[in-house]
Amino acid sequence: MTEPQSWILEIRRRLEAPPGREPIVEATSRRAVLVPLAADAGELWVQLGRGYGDDDGGGAFPGADLEKGEDVWTGALRGAEEQMKIHPKGVLRLGELDAVESFEGGLLTPCIGALPAKLEAEAGESFAEVFRLPLSAFANPSLVEEKIVEVDGLQRRVKSYHIGNRRVWGLAADILEDLLERLGGT
C-alpha cells in the first residue's frame, strides 16, 4: 500500500525547478500575482476575483506592481491582502511560474500559494467579488474557447475558459494553463 501524498508537497516538487525562461522584452513594468490554491472535498480550488465593471463573470488573480527593489512574493502578497483580504502569513509559498508578458508590455510573475481550506477570501479594493473554481475544470477541453483579437494593432490569441457562469480569460487563463502543464494536467 502506498502512503497518501500531501498535495502541498507534490505541487512544491513540481514547481521546484526555477522558472524556465524570462520573456525577451523591454519591460515597462513588473507585476506579480498570487494564484491562491486550497484543497476542499478532495479537490484543488483556485480563488479568483471579479473586477468592478466586469459583467461577463470574468476572473483575475490578486497582484500588484512591484515597487523598486521589491521581490515578486512581497508584491503578490501585498496585492492579495489589498484585493482579497488574504493575510500574507496565511499563505504557504509553493513556487513560481514563468514570467509572462502582459498586453501592455510589462512582465507579470505568477506566485503559487496554498491557503487554509476554510479561508474565505473577500473582496477588497479593485474586486467586486471573490469566487473559487475547481482547478480540474480548467483541464476540460470542452470548456475552452480561443479567439484571435486585435490589441493595439497586434493580433493576439486569447484563451477563455467558460465554467458555469464564469469566464476566465487572457492572462489568468494563460497562467492556469501553465500551472496545469507544470502540475501534469491535475
Side-chain angles (χ1 to χ4, degrees), residues 4-66:
Q5 291 290 319
S6 162
W7 69 273
I8 290 173
L9 295 176
E10 182 61 20
I11 289 176
R12 273 189 170 158
R13 185 184 66 76
R14 291 177 186 239
L15 295 177
E16 68 187 0
R21 60 174 172 75
E22 278 280 314
I24 303 172
V25 295
E26 184 72 30
T28 56
S29 65
R30 300 246 359 164
R31 184 170 179 78
V33 296
L34 179 68
V35 179
L37 300 177
D40 191 22
E43 176 120 38
L44 277 179
W45 296 79
V46 62
Q47 298 261 3
L48 297 124
R50 181 182 62 81
Y52 292 99
D54 185 358
D55 297 328
D56 66 358
F61 295 113
D65 290 331
L66 299 182

Side-chain angles (χ1 to χ4, degrees), residues 13 86 115 117 132:
R13 185 184 66 76
I86 296 172
L115 303 178
R132 65 185 199 150

Side-chain angles (χ1 to χ4, degrees), residues 107-120:
L107 291 179
L108 181 138
T109 301
C111 299
I112 313 302
L115 303 178
K118 300 300 179 199
L119 178 95
E120 290 295 329

Side-chain angles (χ1 to χ4, degrees), residues 43-129:
E43 176 120 38
L44 277 179
W45 296 79
V46 62
Q47 298 261 3
L48 297 124
R50 181 182 62 81
Y52 292 99
D54 185 358
D55 297 328
D56 66 358
F61 295 113
D65 290 331
L66 299 182
E67 297 172 358
K68 186 174 180 160
E70 187 175 46
D71 69 76
V72 294
W73 275 98
T74 302
L77 293 172
R78 179 170 45 83
E81 186 169 32
E82 292 169 359
Q83 297 168 345
M84 286 189 178
K85 300 183 181 178
I86 296 172
H87 194 281
K89 289 185 179 180
V91 178
L92 183 63
R93 297 177 185 200
L94 300 178
E96 299 165 21
L97 297 176
D98 292 334
V100 294
E101 183 183 357
S102 71
F103 289 154
E104 296 82 26
L107 291 179
L108 181 138
T109 301
C111 299
I112 313 302
L115 303 178
K118 300 300 179 199
L119 178 95
E120 290 295 329
E122 52 188 278
E125 58 181 68
S126 77
F127 284 145
E129 73 171 316

